[in-house]
Amino acid sequence: MSDSDLKSGALGLVSVVMQGVTHIAPAIAILLTVQFITAEAGLAAPLSYLIAVLIVLILGVVLTQLAKHFPSAGGYYTYVSRSVHPRAGFLVSWLYFFYSPIFVGVILAAVGSIVHDELLAQYGFNLPWWAFLLAGVALIGVLSYRGVEISVKTMVAMGLIEIGLVVLLGFWGLFDPGSGGVNFDSFNPANASSANGLYLGVVFSIFAITGWEAAAAMGEESEDPRRNVPRGIVGSLLIVGVFLIFTAWAFQIGWGTNDIAGFIESEELPPLVLAHQYWGGLWILLLLAAVNSAVAGGIAYTNVATRMWYAMARSGSLPRQLAHIHPRYKTPTVAIAVEIVLTTAVALFMGFLIGPFEEFVFFGIALTFALVFIYGSANLGVFLYYRRERRSEFNPILHLLFPLLGTAALLWVAYKTVNPFPESPNNWAPIVIGIWLALGVLILLVMRSRGKEEWLLRAGQVAAEELPAREEAIEHRPPLV
């Protein structure tokens, strides 16, 4: 990676896999979604997770077809710019604003509200959610600044701790089950609340798994990125997929499958209820798992956002200052600083405006629509790239059928998210995404009319390729805007 200033070769396969795992934030993914998905799908909630994992695996396999050829810090920005068109790559990065750059603070705010409620109820200690947010952001900023190796080692350790604690609680439920005993009724579609409920459960389960693609952004800091990044994408999906399916099932067993109504109606998150029941005073370990998940996920989100901004600044589509690399730590320090300030400001503003947990739901809905465009663009890119430039390697299943199936599933998810339309304030989420996308298109139109698109020729820059060949390929592509 001769033209990258990042610390190439710093991350092994385990680190790349855990980048994807922690970006999903598995402990938070199950703690904050299992009750809601059970309310939609009923006893068949674990089946919803299973179907969602199979759908997302298709998307993951498709993405590996680009990751193995384009090892870049830009991730989706580079993949779509290189395979579809730089303008499409710009729009992907434009929509990514609602993803990694924002979600660090959003997750910390949501977990901060849970920590506040639990500590106040159990010990009478009042820790404001915003104080938790500020402390978490500061820790993530320091670790990200000090170098990718330190941040990733911390992320790996914390990720393993959170997974271990939640899985332990799941096994506890199997060894001490509630009413109904150990059974596999949760995987029988006939036990779903309704067909539509099962569909909605799958939709929100897909959101719970979001983040698996984060390994792509570590392409310039990974050992053997053409091999490790694709394995990291699929590996993180498999690990978190098994984790979510198992723990959702085990929590239902521990609660009692004969009392799913009580599981749905519980005022306290059911996994926390089980932790109190099984572990007594050590229930706080599960709360620590959630805190671990928030911090480890925040590191992963920061890695993705700042590496994408670094790649965009290097190509000229963002201010060059964002490509500044610390001479000792080899981290994009300006990008990290901007990321920390941005995510803190948005999380505090939305948290005080609609509530810290409510903002998690709001941005989750907004993110769903953004990801339909982002993932769908990569699916199109796989087909175009292998038809244009690697026809001898074209595989009808990998490069045509899987992208079509994945895109169809994404459109179905988007439809189910707005049918019925969300209530206020979440009804604004798809509207905000639509306005933001239109603004991105307007920027491209203005730049094209003024003849200031030279930076687009470098938008798909990959260090392992020769620039003249890329420019020639880009110039002969039909314009999308």
Side-chain angles (χ1 to χ4, degrees), residues 36 40 196 200 204 361-362 365-366 369 413-435:
F36 181 77
E40 299 292 343
N196 190 62
L200 289 175
F204 291 108
V361 178
F362 179 90
I365 294 173
F369 288 95
V413 167
Y415 171 74
K416 283 295 182 180
T417 303
V418 295
N419 185 34
F421 209 71
E423 297 181 357
S424 180
N426 296 327
N427 58 330
W428 282 96
I431 297 173
V432 168
I433 285 294
I435 294 173

Side-chain angles (χ1 to χ4, degrees), residues 294-368:
V295 175
I299 294 172
Y301 275 99
T302 301
N303 285 341
V304 172
T306 55
R307 269 58 181 182
M308 177 174 286
W309 287 349
Y310 163 79
M312 294 178 71
R314 181 178 60 187
S315 71
S317 55
L318 284 180
R320 292 290 298 179
Q321 290 85 345
L322 292 172
H324 173 74
I325 296 295
H326 193 283
R328 177 181 176 186
Y329 301 130
K330 299 298 181 182
T331 52
T333 51
V334 175
I336 291 171
V338 173
E339 150 74 1
I340 294 301
V341 172
L342 176 66
T343 193
T344 303
V346 171
L348 287 174
F349 175 77
M350 291 296 291
F352 283 117
L353 181 65
I354 64 175
F357 194 83
E358 289 73 13
E359 74 169 309
F360 176 80
V361 178
F362 179 90
F363 279 107
I365 294 173
L367 175 60
T368 299

Side-chain angles (χ1 to χ4, degrees), residues 64-263:
T64 64
Q65 301 305 297
L66 295 177
K68 67 183 182 181
H69 291 296
F70 306 134
S72 170
Y76 272 97
Y77 165 68
T78 300
Y79 297 165
V80 175
S81 294
R82 180 63 179 81
S83 61
V84 181
H85 195 281
R87 294 189 185 96
F90 173 82
L91 291 177
V92 162
S93 64
W94 184 253
L95 286 176
Y96 229 87
F97 175 85
F98 286 90
Y99 196 3
S100 292
I102 296 297
F103 250 71
V104 177
V106 170
I107 289 178
L108 288 170
V111 174
S113 69
I114 296 173
V115 171
H116 167 267
D117 294 345
E118 290 295 325
L119 293 183
L120 188 62
Q122 299 299 323
Y123 306 115
F125 181 69
N126 185 9
L127 177 64
W129 64 268
W130 53 265
F132 179 87
L133 163 66
L134 294 177
V137 167
L139 176 60
I140 291 167
V142 170
L143 291 172
S144 301
Y145 173 84
R146 287 297 301 275
V148 69
E149 290 171 301
I150 293 176
S151 66
V152 169
K153 285 179 180 178
T154 304
M155 180 185 69
V156 170
M158 299 183 79
L160 292 174
I161 290 172
E162 70 172 276
I163 290 173
L165 287 171
V166 178
V167 168
L168 177 62
L169 182 64
F171 275 113
W172 218 291
L174 296 181
F175 291 133
D176 188 9
S179 176
V182 178
N183 60 75
F184 295 96
D185 295 344
S186 301
F187 298 97
N188 184 351
N191 292 323
S193 57
S194 66
N196 190 62
L198 182 62
Y199 296 155
L200 289 175
V202 173
V203 168
F204 291 108
S205 297
I206 290 175
F207 167 66
I209 307 169
T210 297
W212 49 270
E213 74 288 341
M218 312 314 291
E220 294 180 30
E221 295 161 283
S222 166
E223 294 177 343
D224 194 2
R226 297 179 189 275
R227 168 179 169 272
N228 284 347
V229 170
R231 291 186 178 187
I233 292 171
V234 175
S236 63
L237 259 174
L238 292 174
I239 291 172
V240 177
V242 171
F243 169 86
L244 291 174
I245 296 165
F246 169 76
T247 52
W249 171 63
F251 290 161
Q252 286 189 347
I253 296 296
W255 186 279
T257 53
N258 290 339
D259 185 28
I260 287 300
F263 189 96

Side-chain angles (χ1 to χ4, degrees), residues 24 47 54 71 92 111 131 164 171 256 272 291 358 383 427 443 452:
I24 300 173
L47 178 61
L54 295 177
V92 162
V111 174
F171 275 113
L272 285 171
V291 172
E358 289 73 13
F383 171 75
N427 58 330
I443 291 173
K452 294 184 177 181

